[in-house]
Amino acid sequence: MNEQNIFIVRCGEVALKGMNKPYFERMLAERIRGRLKKIENGEPIEVKRCEGLIFVRAEKSYEPEVIVREVSKVFGVASISPAVEAETDLDRIGEAAVEYMQRLIREKGVKTFKVEAKRADKNFPVKSPEIARIIGAKVLIGCKVLKVDVHHPDVLLFVDVRKDISYIYDAKVSGFGGLPLGTNGKGMVLLSGGIDSPVAAWMMAKRGMLIEAVHFHSYPYTSERAQEKVEELARILAGYCGRFKMHIVNLLPIQEQIVQHCPEEETTILVRRFMMRIAEKLAEKNGAGMLITGENLGQVASQTAEALVVTDASVSIPVMRPLIALDKTDIMEKAKEIGTFDTSIMPYEDCCTVFLPKHPVTKPKLAKILESEEKLAVADLTDAAVCAAETIQIFSE
Ligand code: ATP
Ligand code: MG
């Protein structure tokens, strides 16, 4: 049996990137290395690229499940398989396959199998179907309880024949796919405590974008617990996106001005425009090229087509809305899958619910909104909020 636990990591879409392929692969290997650093126990874990795959080798002191769990969370990973290796020689591969299947019989009571072989090394003199047949025959001799079932085998045993070393595995654990973090700039996400914005941030990060966040509160109208909830959501996100900065901004001074000077039904849209302006300034200061929100067409009054246009007009930086056309049920499914849902539904107030108008305008007109904003010191209020922002570092749990 192998001295180490070996894992084959497949790179998914990264493999399609043509000229940039080596760059994406290098970034992915680096992200996997960084992720595994977190669980290192003093004994080394090796991460190496080879022929379009990434190989992870860890001492036996590591639980294979832990390595699989950590690596499958890295964006850019299509799938990962715990594997064993053998010298590229049919007898050696056969011995390893027998040992592999004996373990599966012991641990899982496997009764049927089928071998699938792939010959990455085209110089190897035996063709793939023949390799599968030979290894299958050796397994049948070495494991008397097993039968071949070509249609519904308990175990599909893969044999990947490469130049010097070949690999044997059965399970493929899916990753999320996407692209390695840091291959697609940086975005500033407006992170509320709701269901949507954590999913929006996750989706952009999955496309390789580094994330930074801004959260708005209306303390003391919103509680400290509400902020803790957002920090908790941010920590869950950091489990995928790595450590990131979150800026915390008190919107109350701005909300009070709006309530005093502007029509009540415009409160929501006016507050949203301030949020965007503040986020834009923070993005500029911190090297983020775009904003990200969890907005979704038609979900609430502030997310009608007309309201989104008026919101957008408050900034010149591009605004990404990855959830714009998704159904709420699909967003909720995603939130459950990535682990943010249970925290998101905890019932704490958001700054948007403070001073909520009874009948918000659903089809705001930009000219009218600009007129209302003339009664406010927009630039000064924005700058003051940016100046007073508190910045914290978010680490994964
Ligand atoms: P979410 O579930 O993300 O809170 P929502 O459906 O409740 O979204 P709104 O409250 O209208 O919708 O917010 C729309 C978007 O505005 C959010 O997805 C988020 O990006 C941003 N946003 C709202 N409230 C805040 C906040 N307190 N801090 C930072 N961003 C916010
Ligand atoms: Mg919300």
Side-chain angles (χ1 to χ4, degrees), residues 192-197 303 350 352:
S192 71
I195 295 169
D196 304 331
S197 45
Q303 296 176 24
D350 183 64
C352 292

Side-chain angles (χ1 to χ4, degrees), residues 5-26:
N5 288 321
I6 300 163
F7 305 85
I8 301 178
V9 183
R10 295 169 202 85
C11 311
E13 199 176 329
V14 172
L16 305 175
K17 289 285 156 190
M19 297 277 283
N20 287 331
K21 195 175 155 188
Y23 166 70
F24 280 96
E25 279 177 11
R26 210 172 338 107

Side-chain angles (χ1 to χ4, degrees), residues 188-200 213-218 222 230 247 249 251 268 271-272 275-276 279 292-296 299-303 308 311 320-321 323 328 331 344 349-353:
M188 179 69 69
V189 59
L190 285 80
L191 192 65
S192 71
I195 295 169
D196 304 331
S197 45
V199 175
V214 51
H215 173 68
F216 300 96
H217 64 85
S218 315
T222 56
V230 176
H247 310 279
V249 176
L251 266 188
T268 306
V271 168
R272 295 204 57 73
M275 282 188 180
M276 302 300 268
I292 303 166
T293 77
E295 285 161 315
N296 175 259
Q299 199 180 89
V300 288
S302 61
Q303 296 176 24
L308 289 172
T311 304
M320 298 293 128
R321 298 182 167 96
L323 311 184
K328 187 74 186 182
I331 301 171
S344 287
E349 64 296 325
D350 183 64
C351 67
C352 292
T353 52

Side-chain angles (χ1 to χ4, degrees), residues 10-236:
R10 295 169 202 85
C11 311
E13 199 176 329
V14 172
L16 305 175
K17 289 285 156 190
M19 297 277 283
N20 287 331
K21 195 175 155 188
Y23 166 70
F24 280 96
E25 279 177 11
R26 210 172 338 107
M27 284 298 276
L28 182 58
E30 217 166 277
R31 292 298 170 200
I32 293 172
R33 224 171 267 130
R35 161 71 58 151
L36 292 174
K37 270 260 166 311
K38 266 185 21 192
I39 57 157
E40 255 185 13
N41 61 15
E43 297 204 86
I45 304 178
E46 187 191 274
V47 179
K48 263 201 179 153
R49 293 160 50 212
C50 182
E51 297 171 354
L53 295 175
I54 293 174
F55 290 88
V56 176
R57 284 162 198 278
E59 297 299 319
K60 291 278 181 189
S61 55
Y62 293 96
E63 292 285 338
E65 296 75 24
V66 174
I67 304 252
V68 169
R69 190 189 64 214
E70 292 300 321
V71 173
S72 63
K73 274 179 102 178
V74 176
F75 294 135
V77 170
S79 65
I80 172 169
S81 297
V84 297
E85 63 184 4
E87 194 186 314
T88 296
D89 166 281
L90 288 177
D91 285 338
R92 298 285 92 75
I93 296 171
E95 285 161 19
V98 168
E99 214 174 311
Y100 193 98
M101 290 308 300
Q102 281 170 343
R103 181 172 56 81
L104 291 188
I105 294 167
R106 261 194 330 272
E107 291 176 0
K108 297 185 182 165
V110 167
K111 292 196 174 63
T112 60
F113 78 109
K114 175 188 171 185
V115 178
E116 197 133 295
K118 200 173 74 194
R119 192 175 51 140
D121 173 16
K122 298 294 176 218
N123 291 324
F124 190 73
V126 186
K127 291 199 172 134
S128 303
E130 185 63 5
I131 298 173
R133 204 189 54 72
I134 294 170
I135 301 302
K138 286 179 188 290
V139 169
L140 281 175
I141 293 168
C143 307
K144 297 278 184 255
V145 296
L146 284 185
K147 285 197 172 65
V148 172
D149 181 342
V150 291
H151 299 297
H152 304 288
D154 293 344
V155 168
L156 192 54
L157 188 70
F158 293 95
V159 177
D160 186 353
V161 176
R162 294 182 170 254
K163 192 159 167 285
D164 298 315
I165 304 283
S166 297
Y167 298 88
I168 294 166
Y169 57 87
D170 71 301
K172 269 189 194 176
V173 177
S174 297
F176 290 110
L179 297 169
L181 276 175
T183 55
N184 258 320
K186 181 155 91 170
M188 179 69 69
V189 59
L190 285 80
L191 192 65
S192 71
I195 295 169
D196 304 331
S197 45
V199 175
W202 186 92
M203 284 177 71
M204 294 306 284
K206 183 166 109 105
R207 298 307 301 169
M209 181 166 273
L210 292 174
I211 294 299
E212 200 162 309
V214 51
H215 173 68
F216 300 96
H217 64 85
S218 315
Y219 189 77
Y221 288 87
T222 56
S223 66
E224 276 171 25
R225 285 294 292 126
Q227 187 176 320
E228 280 164 23
K229 170 184 166 182
V230 176
E231 288 178 30
E232 172 63 21
L233 284 171
R235 279 195 292 275
I236 298 171

